[in-house]
């Protein structure tokens, strides 16, 4: 059988084609030395989960570079404070590494609390603070006693694992151990929920929240997009958790089910069909006839509002192909949305996927789809050259590989500026995809480059 692309022998099992025997690639392994993996670390994984809490200080205990590389990396929007965007660091220097950084951490917390009076201060351990053995938990406890402000340790040393997924779990544990269940809501209803794994990137939450509220459902908290820490503290009283990003947040939902008896369902608000299904699943869970009627009216109104608004885009996009190389959740949650636009998903992959992620991808994509784990830059370039999709969906790190090859690109990760969730979000999604695929700039791509690409097929 012809290999998917030319690569190292040990990397071949990290790629497969659905329907050709093994449909799940080898995954969740340390990257091959020398192949320049595009992965991030445990520290980055924890920051992704916790950073969108808007009324809190997110303090990185390490050299300034750790904060510089990760603060504000996601376009999570806020309807209230912007404190979470401050990008604070203890800025550890050589002297701190030799003599210890606990005193500096304590003084930094005191200063930040005095200046900002935050809802909480999350203190993130980095590789350096872990190696020198700073007792972050003890410093946080002492600081909390002194200030009365929540000071929460996040033991997110980057070296703990090859996969940032562990960072998602550590971020979730920080919420479970220090926040959730520490405050009682003023009132509860029989239809209280939490939205879990929705980080409000580009304002996605604002396309979902009005629909759920109109159903008659009360949202206690969002973990963690556009949230306050006091809201998350009340999350233990919800009757249901709905999980949007099932890559980062199944862990928290399962833990809350075990600890508080809160059941959870997995939802997906990307695409019209998935939005409709998710709203109905929430209504079905509560089984309230009036809510079910309201939900059907919301669906009818939502579909009518966007009717024919994507026709022009579909006409140009039908028959095009797209390669997804994104975070685990988007690697399957976007597939149906593309199908609704007539776009064929020919490849789906992720950098930090675990077996559960690839099983979801396998369930979602059709036979013949290439499934890729932890592709490095060279492999990704070879995949794009050989299979020549009409569009690559990925993050900032893959942007210039795609554009240099003359392949249209959309950033669906940190730098995304348009919200895609819900009914209206689907119109924005279609518009953004069409703007990239149909852009005339790609007609100006060097003729030599095109010939080279055609020859490499």
């Amino acid at each position: 059988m012809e290999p998917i692309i030319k690569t190292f022998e040990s990397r071949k099992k990290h790629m497969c084609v659905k329907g050709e025997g093994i449909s799940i690639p080898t995954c969740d392994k340390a990257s091959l030395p020398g192949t320049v993996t595009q992965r991030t670390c445990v520290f980055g994984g924890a920051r992704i989960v916790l950073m969108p809490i808007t009324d809190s200080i997110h303090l990185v205990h390490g050299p300034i570079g750790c904060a510089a590389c990760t603060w504000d990396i996601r376009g999570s929007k806020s309807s209230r404070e912007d404190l979470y965007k401050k990008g604070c660091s203890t800025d550890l220097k050589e002297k701190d590494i030799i003599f210890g950084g606990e005193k500096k951490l304590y003084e930094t917390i005191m200063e930040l609390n005095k200046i900002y009076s935050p809802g909480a201060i999350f203190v993130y351990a980095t590789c350096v603070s872990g190696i020198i053995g700073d007792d972050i938990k003890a410093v946080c406890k002492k600081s909390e006693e002194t200030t009365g402000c929540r000071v929460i340790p996040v033991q997110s040393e980057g070296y703990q694992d090859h996969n940032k997924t562990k960072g998602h779990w550590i971020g979730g544990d920080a919420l479970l151990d220090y926040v959730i269940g520490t405050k009682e809501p003023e009132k509860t209803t029989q239809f209280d929920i939490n939205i879990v794994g929705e980080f409000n990137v580009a304002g996605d939450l604002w396309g979902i929240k009005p629909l759920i509220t109109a159903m008659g459902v009360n949202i206690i908290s969002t973990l963690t997009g556009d949230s306050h820490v006091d809201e998350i503290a009340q999350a233990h009283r919800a009757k249901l958790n709905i999980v949007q990003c099932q890559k980062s947040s199944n862990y928290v939902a399962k833990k809350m089910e075990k600890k508080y008896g809160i059941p959870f369902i997995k939802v997906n608000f990307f695409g019209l069909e998935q939005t409709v299904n998710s709203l109905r699943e929430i209504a079905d869970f509560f089984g309230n006839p009036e809510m079910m009627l309201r939900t059907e009216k919301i669906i009818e109104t939502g579909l009518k509002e966007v009717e024919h608004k994507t026709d022009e885009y579909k006409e140009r996009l039908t028959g095009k192909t797209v390669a997804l190389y994104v975070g685990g959740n988007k690697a399957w949650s976007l597939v149906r949305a593309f199908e609704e636009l007539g776009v064929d998903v020919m490849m789906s992959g992720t950098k930090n996927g675990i077996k559960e992620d690839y099983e979801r991808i396998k369930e979602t994509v059709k036979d013949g789809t290439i499934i890729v784990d932890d592709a490095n830059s060279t492999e990704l370039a070879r995949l794009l050259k050989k299979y020549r999709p009409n569009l690559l969906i990925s993050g900032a790190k893959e942007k210039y590989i795609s554009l240099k090859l003359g392949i249209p690109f959309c950033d669906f990760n940190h730098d995304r500026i348009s919200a895609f969730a819900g009914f209206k979000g689907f119109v924005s999604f279609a518009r953004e995809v069409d703007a990239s695929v149909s852009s005339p700039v790609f007609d100006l791509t060097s003729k030599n480059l095109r010939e080279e690409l055609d020859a490499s097929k």
Side-chain angles (χ1 to χ4, degrees), residues 390-391 408-410 431-442:
N390 296 109
L391 177 69
F409 173 86
C410 276
R431 186 187 304 118
E432 185 105 351
V433 169
D434 177 59
S436 295
V437 173
S438 306
S439 171
V441 73
F442 294 102

Side-chain angles (χ1 to χ4, degrees), residues 41-47 50 59 61 102 105 122-131 133-141 152-161 166-175 177-178:
C41 69
V42 168
F43 166 68
R47 297 271 280 172
L50 298 173
L59 173 59
H61 186 41
E102 293 179 6
L105 173 60
F122 289 87
V123 178
Y124 299 81
T126 60
C127 293
V128 171
S129 56
I131 289 169
D134 278 355
D135 190 344
I136 290 177
K137 283 186 180 177
V139 176
C140 288
K141 185 179 179 184
I152 300 166
V154 186
Q155 296 292 165
S156 53
E157 294 88 349
Y159 54 66
Q160 292 186 57
D161 197 66
K166 186 170 182 180
H168 299 151
W169 300 345
I170 289 169
D173 281 333
L175 295 178
D177 294 343
Y178 295 95

Side-chain angles (χ1 to χ4, degrees), residues 82-124:
D82 62 358
L83 198 54
Y84 68 127
K85 298 284 188 181
K86 293 296 180 187
C88 300
S89 168
T90 49
D91 186 19
L92 291 181
K93 298 288 178 59
E94 187 176 8
K95 183 181 74 174
D96 307 310
I97 292 166
I98 293 170
F99 296 106
E102 293 179 6
K103 183 172 182 285
K104 191 170 190 180
L105 173 60
Y106 179 78
E107 290 171 349
T108 305
I109 293 171
M110 293 299 109
E111 185 177 359
L112 288 171
N113 182 65
K114 184 178 178 183
I115 296 172
Y116 297 110
S117 299
I121 299 174
F122 289 87
V123 178
Y124 299 81

Side-chain angles (χ1 to χ4, degrees), residues 317 322-326 330 334 338 341 390-400 402-403 407-418 420 428-439 442:
L317 292 172
V322 60
L324 308 177
Y325 191 57
V326 284
K330 297 186 199 74
L334 291 174
F338 274 110
L341 293 176
N390 296 109
L391 177 69
L392 174 67
I393 300 293
S394 193
K397 284 181 284 191
E398 293 77 26
K399 178 177 181 178
Y400 295 104
S402 180
L403 295 179
I407 294 175
F409 173 86
C410 276
D411 190 329
F412 273 35
N413 288 352
H414 316 312
D415 295 336
R416 177 158 61 94
I417 57 173
S418 299
F420 294 152
S428 300
F429 170 76
R431 186 187 304 118
E432 185 105 351
V433 169
D434 177 59
S436 295
V437 173
S438 306
S439 171
F442 294 102

Side-chain angles (χ1 to χ4, degrees), residues 52-70:
I53 302 174
T54 61
D55 68 336
S56 298
I57 287 287
H58 297 269
L59 173 59
V60 178
H61 186 41
I64 193 66
C66 296
C69 287
T70 61

Side-chain angles (χ1 to χ4, degrees), residues 36-51:
V36 194
T37 179
Q38 299 293 298
R39 284 174 168 170
T40 48
C41 69
V42 168
F43 166 68
R47 297 271 280 172
I48 283 169
V49 169
L50 298 173
M51 192 76 187

